[in-house]
Amino acid sequence: MNRTNGGGRPTGVNLPGLRSHNTALVLDLLRTAGPDGISRLELAERTGLTPQAVSKITARLREEGLAAEAGRRASTGGKPRTVLRLVPGAGHAVGVHLDRDELRAVLVDLDGTVMGERRVPLDLGAGAEAVLGAVVREAGPLGRTAGGTLFGVGVALPGPLDHTHGVLHRITGFPEWDGFPLRDALATRLGAPVVVDKDTNAVALGLAVGGERGSFACLHLGTGLGAGLVIDGTVHRGARTGAGEFGHQVVQLDGPPCPCGNRGCVEALCLAALARGDVGEAARVLGVAAANLAGLLDVDAVLLGGRTVAADPEPFLRGVAAVLDTHARREGAPQNAVPVRLAPGGPRNVAEGAAQLLLAPLFGRETG
């Protein structure tokens, strides 16, 4: 990959300038305007910036190849206005999903479009050298195919972990990763900026950037169970970046042991039900946990995702919705049951969300 300067920053773009608040406002409006573009006057009106400030920002974006003319538009008076558009191919990020048994990597442009994808089997317990080597083999070639600026690599995997420092904690079932500095180890090998986050947070960020509004919980059931939380449009990570360990809330005090050390965790009960083929019971348990979460946070919606849900979504949607409906009726407000929907994006939404860990801040989208 190695498309950075000595300080590990992408070359070809004034990154500190891009990350300024005003530039982010302009870039986000260019992105949402799509190929039809938007005029400088409209940019000034919508951002509250002066026309002079907008002209200075857009001139720099054009110079760096991130914006281009999209034609002219008739005005109410005077000469036609030039409209500008985002150039999606001017920048990219790689998103990597490290699951317990699979690696998926995608190359995403500034518009969020997937331009390339690689997928291989992975054993997360094979040790750091094997896992890091797999990331370099799959993410490296994708990054080298990118045109324009490569902003870096986002890596999403099961938690818990320290998002701020990119250090892993005791991943359930893989205690050997506890304390491993994954971000710094990968940045050294890839020669590019790296951001590390939980798989559930990556999904939640991708959904928020993709248009999901308000506050919501994304419950991700695959080889494990976790939740990504978005509060008022921002991913909620908590004071120690440990929020969302949804699968390890105890709902049965004398329940079966969980690899985390507790008994009766939602994840253990859910996976045990699935192992014996009782999807209905797994959905009911998931619904009980979702009702606890909805009662605590009063979210606008619960979104269900992950490979297990994607393989047979209807029983999970029905089961979780039924528990939330019962919960609302007990409170005397059946019409206010929290809606349950399938999370969009399919099997690669974790990897796409991981790429947004690098791209979303450019558009002023807070990642928590």
Side-chain angles (χ1 to χ4, degrees), residues 253-332:
L253 292 178
D254 58 349
C258 178
C260 76
N262 288 326
R263 299 184 71 90
C265 289
V266 174
E267 179 176 296
L269 293 168
C270 217
L271 294 179
L274 290 170
R276 61 179 183 266
D278 193 345
V279 178
E281 175 63 9
R284 187 186 71 83
V285 171
L286 187 59
V288 169
N292 289 342
L293 185 61
L296 283 171
L297 298 180
D298 195 18
V299 291
D300 299 310
V302 169
L303 306 182
L304 304 183
R307 71 164 79 164
T308 301
V309 171
D312 191 13
E314 288 307 316
F316 288 100
L317 291 168
R318 287 196 308 269
V320 173
V323 178
L324 289 171
D325 182 67
T326 299
H327 180 77
R329 289 178 184 280
R330 286 174 181 165
E331 292 184 337

Side-chain angles (χ1 to χ4, degrees), residues 40-321:
R40 292 180 183 83
L41 180 59
E42 289 172 301
L43 287 170
E45 290 172 346
R46 296 189 190 183
T47 59
L49 299 173
T50 65
Q52 293 82 1
V54 168
S55 292
K56 185 178 295 185
I57 291 170
T58 55
R60 187 171 72 248
L61 293 177
R62 290 183 64 187
E63 181 181 338
E64 293 171 345
L66 294 167
E69 287 191 9
R72 293 180 178 272
R73 185 180 300 160
S75 66
T76 54
K79 62 181 181 180
R81 299 174 187 165
T82 299
V83 293
L84 301 172
R85 63 174 178 85
L86 183 72
V87 179
H92 297 82
V94 174
V96 176
H97 178 195
L98 292 178
D99 208 342
R100 291 170 171 87
D101 58 0
E102 179 182 275
L103 182 156
R104 186 187 297 264
V106 296
L107 179 69
V108 175
D109 71 8
L110 294 177
D111 224 10
T113 302
V114 174
M115 308 302 293
E117 180 176 5
R118 297 169 74 101
R119 179 186 174 198
V120 295
L122 177 78
D123 177 6
L124 195 58
E129 285 303 311
V131 173
L132 266 61
V135 174
V136 171
R137 286 193 301 273
E138 304 308 319
L142 280 177
R144 287 191 290 272
T145 65
T149 297
L150 182 70
F151 287 100
V153 179
V155 180
L157 71 164
L161 55 81
D162 179 347
H163 164 71
T164 303
H165 299 99
V167 176
L168 305 187
H169 292 324
R170 194 174 289 268
I171 300 172
T172 303
F174 301 92
E176 66 273 19
W177 283 103
D178 190 16
F180 187 80
L182 182 63
R183 181 192 67 188
D184 293 347
L186 279 176
T188 298
R189 294 196 180 207
L190 292 169
V194 173
V195 179
V196 172
D197 206 348
K198 291 195 293 188
D199 46 12
T200 50
N201 287 341
V203 172
L205 174 62
L207 294 176
V209 170
E212 189 69 36
R213 304 299 179 193
S215 301
F216 61 90
C218 182
L219 310 185
H220 190 81
L221 177 59
T223 55
L225 173 62
L229 307 174
V230 172
I231 308 298
D232 294 331
T234 299
V235 176
H236 176 71
R237 291 190 175 85
R240 289 164 291 279
T241 74
E245 287 300 308
F246 173 83
H248 298 293
Q249 56 175 301
V250 175
V251 295
Q252 185 180 336
L253 292 178
D254 58 349
C258 178
C260 76
N262 288 326
R263 299 184 71 90
C265 289
V266 174
E267 179 176 296
L269 293 168
C270 217
L271 294 179
L274 290 170
R276 61 179 183 266
D278 193 345
V279 178
E281 175 63 9
R284 187 186 71 83
V285 171
L286 187 59
V288 169
N292 289 342
L293 185 61
L296 283 171
L297 298 180
D298 195 18
V299 291
D300 299 310
V302 169
L303 306 182
L304 304 183
R307 71 164 79 164
T308 301
V309 171
D312 191 13
E314 288 307 316
F316 288 100
L317 291 168
R318 287 196 308 269
V320 173

